[in-house]
């Protein structure tokens, strides 16, 4: 069994634990929260034996082998580093850090301490995305990648009332790019590597974060168009266009259905029935790696996390999005 601790007691941690409860080899043994009341309440709900309000104490504890971190983005790097330096394996919620320099620091720390570090990017680990990756060659030379993740945030209503919640605070390294744009960029880097050119524009909110944005990314022989928003919805699928056909993906942030539409009109389904919640697959990957004695995922690699964050740094520079971590 891999004994896990969780850092952060929010809805995303709850969703992860619901999925992880179905993963063989996962055991929740510890919970961290800034307040004892929250740590105790969350531990009682999920039957975790150990409760912590001090991160250093938790990281040094023998009660855990690994930790899942789901705190605001600005804290990811420092908190992850504490656990890595204590020999604990870390599954950190996306984005792995607030900028590329922080990601590089974490990769170096993980390697120096011979522990597993993985970005909890669920979309590249679900079965249907793996099918897309395996069948990409069938559409011939790829010419265009179009991906969008536009989801109106319930917190935006509060924002318009003058109440700025965490999702729209630059001091927490948040905003549309970090929250949703990353879901479009990470699969792009996974499939095609680093772009040669990046051109970005965004609508900035008065709080200092981006409400929405668009990015044009240039590659040799192809281009990518990425759109993301927290202030409007979109219901358009994502698409990878090749000279022989196109791959249609229902939701780039959590692919469930995909198909190839060839130029001759034939359609080849790529959908794999997803029998578990989307977050199951990232936990399964992480636990399997630990059981095999590996310190890096072959899918959510260090290099893909680093390259994606380098692209996001370029985008932020162009749109004027600055975080305290910079």
């Amino acid at each position: 069994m891999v004994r896990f601790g969780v850092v952060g007691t929010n809805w995303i941690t709850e969703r992860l634990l619901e999925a992880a409860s179905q993963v063989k080899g996962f055991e929740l043994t510890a919970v961290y929260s800034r307040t004892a009341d929250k740590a105790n309440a969350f531990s009682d709900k999920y039957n975790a034996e150990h409760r912590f309000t001090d991160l250093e104490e938790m990281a040094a504890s023998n009660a855990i082998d690994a930790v899942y971190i789901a705190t605001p983005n600005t804290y990811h790097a420092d908190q992850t580093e504490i656990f890595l330096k204590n020999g604990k394996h870390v599954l950190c919620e996306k984005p792995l850090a607030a900028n590329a320099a922080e990601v590089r620091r974490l990769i170096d720390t993980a390697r120096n301490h011979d522990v597993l570090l993985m970005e909890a990017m669920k979309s590249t680990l679900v079965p249907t995305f793996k099918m897309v990756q395996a069948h990409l060659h069938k559409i011939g030379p790829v010419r265009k990648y179009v991906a969008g993740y536009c989801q109106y945030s319930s917190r935006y209503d509060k924002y318009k009332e003058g109440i700025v919640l965490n999702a729209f605070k630059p001091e927490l390294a948040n905003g549309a790019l970090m929250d949703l744009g990353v879901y479009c960029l990470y699969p792009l880097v996974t499939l095609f590597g680093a772009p040669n050119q990046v051109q970005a524009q965004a609508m900035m909110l008065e709080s200092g974060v981006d409400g929405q944005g668009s990015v044009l990314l240039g590659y040799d022989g192809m281009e990518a168009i990425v759109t993301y928003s927290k202030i409007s919805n979109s219901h358009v699928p994502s698409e990878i266009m090749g000279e022989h056909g196109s791959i249609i993906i229902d939701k780039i942030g959590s692919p469930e259905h995909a198909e190839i539409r060839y130029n001759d009109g034939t359609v080849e389904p790529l959908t794999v029935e997803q029998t578990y919640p989307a977050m199951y697959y990232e936990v399964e990957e992480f636990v399997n790696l630990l059981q095999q004695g590996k310190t890096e995922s072959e899918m959510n690699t260090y290099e893909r996390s680093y390259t994606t964050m380098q692209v996001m740094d370029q985008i932020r520079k162009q749109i004027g999005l600055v975080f305290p971590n910079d």
Side-chain angles (χ1 to χ4, degrees):
M1 295 296 283
V2 179
R3 300 168 305 154
F4 270 82
V6 294
V7 178
T9 53
N10 49 37
W11 66 270
I12 198 160
T13 307
E14 295 199 335
R15 192 170 291 176
L16 179 113
L17 290 175
E18 287 163 11
S21 67
Q22 301 175 68
V23 177
K24 289 178 183 176
F26 177 93
E27 181 185 10
L28 179 68
T29 58
V31 170
Y32 165 86
S33 184
R34 286 173 298 176
T35 67
D37 286 348
K38 275 190 178 178
N40 287 328
F42 200 86
S43 297
D44 290 345
K45 182 175 180 180
Y46 291 98
N47 299 315
E49 183 182 350
H50 304 275
R51 298 101 197 270
F52 295 93
T53 55
D54 183 301
L55 271 185
E56 295 277 2
E57 184 186 343
M58 183 182 190
S61 166
N62 291 324
I64 60 169
D65 306 306
V67 68
Y68 168 70
I69 293 177
T71 51
N73 302 332
T74 195
Y75 305 125
H76 283 183
D78 288 348
Q79 292 178 342
T80 295
E81 191 172 37
I82 289 170
F83 287 94
L84 295 175
K85 285 182 172 178
N86 278 274
K88 302 300 191 290
H89 309 285
V90 180
L91 176 63
C92 183
E93 196 47 66
K94 61 84 203 161
L96 187 55
N99 57 46
E102 288 187 339
V103 172
R104 175 52 61 195
R105 193 177 93 213
L106 294 180
I107 292 168
D108 291 343
T109 304
R111 284 180 169 151
N112 289 338
H113 290 81
D114 197 31
V115 286
L116 171 62
L117 168 68
M118 193 180 93
E119 185 167 5
M121 175 58 68
K122 63 185 179 184
S123 50
T124 45
L125 295 167
V126 297
T128 292
F129 181 83
K130 290 182 177 180
M131 282 288 282
V132 169
Q133 189 178 34
H135 292 261
L136 185 63
H137 66 279
K138 292 182 176 180
I139 64 171
V142 174
R143 297 306 183 197
K144 198 182 289 279
Y145 169 103
V146 180
Y149 196 154
C150 302
Q151 183 174 293
Y152 187 90
S153 171
S154 57
R155 296 169 184 86
Y156 188 53
D157 289 333
K158 290 289 186 185
Y159 181 89
K160 289 188 286 186
E161 294 171 12
I163 302 165
V164 182
L165 299 174
N166 285 359
F168 296 105
K169 288 183 177 179
E171 60 266 32
L172 296 179
N174 278 335
L177 172 67
M178 301 296 277
D179 194 16
L180 302 181
V182 65
Y183 280 117
C184 303
L185 294 166
Y186 199 104
L188 173 68
V189 168
T190 298
L191 296 173
F192 304 106
N196 302 321
Q197 300 99 25
V198 177
Q199 293 174 268
Q201 60 182 29
M203 177 185 158
M204 303 300 290
L205 302 177
E206 287 182 6
S207 71
V209 301
D210 55 331
Q212 64 180 25
S214 302
V215 192
L216 185 63
L217 305 105
Y219 287 82
D220 291 338
M222 69 165 272
E223 64 179 359
I225 302 163
V226 162
T227 61
Y228 50 88
S229 176
K230 290 177 73 71
I231 59 176
S232 62
N233 282 318
S234 173
H235 308 283
V236 178
S238 295
E239 187 170 9
I240 305 170
M241 304 171 213
E243 291 190 1
H244 302 158
S246 289
I247 296 178
I248 313 293
I249 303 167
D250 63 340
K251 297 174 293 190
I252 198 68
S254 186
E256 291 179 11
H257 302 286
E259 64 184 23
I260 302 176
R261 296 186 187 177
Y262 292 102
N263 291 350
D264 65 3
T266 58
V267 176
E268 181 182 354
L270 299 180
T271 299
V272 180
E273 186 181 355
Q274 194 171 296
T275 50
Y276 298 102
M279 294 180 84
Y280 167 93
Y281 300 95
E282 69 194 57
V283 181
E284 180 189 46
E285 169 83 353
F286 192 83
V287 169
N288 285 345
L289 289 169
L290 287 181
Q291 291 174 340
Q292 294 163 22
K294 295 182 178 178
T295 54
E296 184 179 357
S297 169
E298 291 180 12
M299 181 61 92
N300 288 6
T301 65
Y302 292 158
E303 202 54 40
R304 285 168 184 166
S305 291
Y306 182 62
T307 299
T308 301
M309 192 55 71
Q310 283 183 307
V311 172
M312 290 167 72
D313 281 359
Q314 289 183 65
I315 294 168
R316 289 201 297 115
K317 189 173 182 180
Q318 291 180 28
I319 65 177
L321 178 55
V322 180
F323 299 141
N325 310 59
D326 302 326

